């Protein structure tokens, strides 16, 4: 199996934090967003992980050099972004027709069982049941448990199973053909080549798709949702019990980075502090503090703090 991670977006909604890096490299609960995605998929033991880069691509190249434990990796630059379909098509020359492919959007954090993919016989789209399907693309499932069609932001109820951005493709040859057809014939939706259009074409041609559930779908697209996700993920990376500094109160869950110097502070809950930070006389909660930040006195809450 190969894994494709599209991470070319410029993260405009998270400015100024994305001015010097792609969104996937933003800190979150003591790691980066992309760390959590890659680690969650490591159970599949991919033969290669392909990163589709674009905005600040050199930053991703530099970061991957620090991750030898990720095994075989490759970056492909999407120099003129024209949609997710085009992004995925750039990786397909490096994927054999008989090798399954897993596509995970580079800002999608989730809780789901990926181990089922090791024995999957059909294509699988992971979905999450939502209260308001009008905001999402949804999968309409038929009586036999197969997906009949995909509908983008349905105004009348057809399904509550939102497509979350995790796509397992068994029929790689059919995906290649569908994307090529869209691009050769300049078939776009909202001015872009859409992956869902290619998947819909595959379904119409008889490719079998099933859904698999996501128990939790975590958004990182806005500062407030990034902080919510940080609070949840911290439960997996809480090292607050390992930190014992006189005069410092730590309320878990929290992550305290390496070489952090903390004096006279109240920290937590839901705080991630980066490496080499210096905090003195600060009360801080519900926050992400980047590496190397210095804060002297005050109250910090519901904030992302960078240099």
């Amino acid at each position: 199996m190969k894994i494709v991670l599209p991470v070319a977006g410029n993260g405009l909604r998270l400015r100024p934090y994305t001015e010097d890096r792609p969104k996937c490299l933003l800190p979150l609960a003591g790691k980066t967003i992309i760390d959590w995605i890659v680690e969650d998929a490591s159970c599949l033991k991919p033969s290669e992980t392909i990163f589709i880069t674009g905005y600040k691509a050199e930053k991703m190249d530099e970061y991957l050099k620090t991750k030898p434990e990720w095994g075989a990796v490759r970056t492909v630059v999407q120099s003129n972004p024209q949609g997710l379909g085009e992004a995925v098509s750039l990786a397909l020359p490096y994927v054999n027709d008989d090798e399954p492919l897993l596509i995970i959007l580079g800002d999608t954090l989730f809780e789901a069982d990926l181990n089922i993919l090791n024995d999957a016989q059909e294509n699988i789209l992971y979905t999450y049941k939502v209260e308001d399907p009008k905001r999402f693309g949804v999968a309409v499932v038929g009586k036999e448990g197969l997906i009949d069609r995909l509908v983008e932001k349905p105004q009348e109820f057809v399904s509550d199973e939102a497509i979350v951005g995790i796509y397992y493709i068994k029929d790689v040859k059919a995906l290649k053909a569908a994307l090529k057809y869209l691009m050769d014939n300049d078939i776009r939706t909202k001015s872009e080549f859409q992956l869902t259009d290619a998947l819909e074409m595959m379904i119409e041609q008889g490719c079998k798709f099933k859904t698999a559930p996501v128990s939790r779908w975590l958004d990182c697209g806005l500062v407030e949702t990034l902080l919510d996700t940080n609070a949840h993920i911290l439960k997996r990376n809480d090292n607050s019990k390992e930190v014992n500094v006189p005069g410092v109160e730590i309320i878990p869950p929290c992550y305290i980075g390496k070489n952090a110097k903390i004096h006279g502070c109240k920290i937590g809950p839901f705080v991630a502090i980066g490496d080499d930070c210096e905090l003195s006389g600060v009360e801080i909660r519900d926050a992400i503090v980047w590496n190397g930040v210095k804060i002297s006195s005050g109250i910090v809450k519901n904030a992302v703090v960078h240099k």
Side-chain angles (χ1 to χ4, degrees), residues 104-157:
I104 306 176
L105 300 190
D107 58 357
T108 298
L109 294 186
F110 55 86
E111 292 178 1
D113 183 7
L114 296 183
N115 284 300
I116 64 170
L117 301 180
N118 287 314
D119 300 313
Q121 299 303 309
E122 297 91 7
N123 307 286
I124 293 177
L125 304 184
Y126 279 80
T127 60
Y128 182 74
K129 288 189 177 295
V130 294
E131 293 183 1
D132 183 12
K134 294 179 182 179
R135 298 171 49 215
F136 305 95
V138 299
V140 180
V141 180
K143 295 180 180 180
E144 297 181 1
L146 297 175
I147 297 176
D148 286 339
R149 58 194 173 109
L150 307 175
V151 181
E152 183 65 24
K153 297 181 180 178
Q155 296 307 297
E156 295 184 2
F157 182 86

Side-chain angles (χ1 to χ4, degrees), residues 3 36-46 102 104 110 114:
I3 295 177
W36 290 108
I37 296 172
V38 171
E39 290 177 16
D40 283 345
S42 64
C43 62
L44 300 173
K45 297 180 172 56
L102 178 63
I104 306 176
F110 55 86
L114 296 183

Side-chain angles (χ1 to χ4, degrees), residues 28-29 109 217-220 224-234:
L28 183 78
L109 294 186
W217 185 16
L218 300 164
D219 183 27
C220 299
E224 53 266 36
T225 58
L226 184 69
L227 289 170
D228 288 342
T229 297
N230 180 70
H232 182 79
I233 297 295
L234 272 172

Side-chain angles (χ1 to χ4, degrees), residues 84-93 179 183:
L84 181 57
E86 188 229 5
V88 171
S89 75
L90 296 174
L92 294 182
L179 284 173
M183 297 174 71

Side-chain angles (χ1 to χ4, degrees), residues 245-269:
V245 180
V248 174
E249 179 184 359
I250 300 179
I251 305 170
C254 290
Y255 176 84
I256 311 299
K258 298 176 183 177
N259 303 316
K261 298 177 181 179
I262 306 171
H263 305 284
C265 296
K266 181 178 180 180
I267 299 173

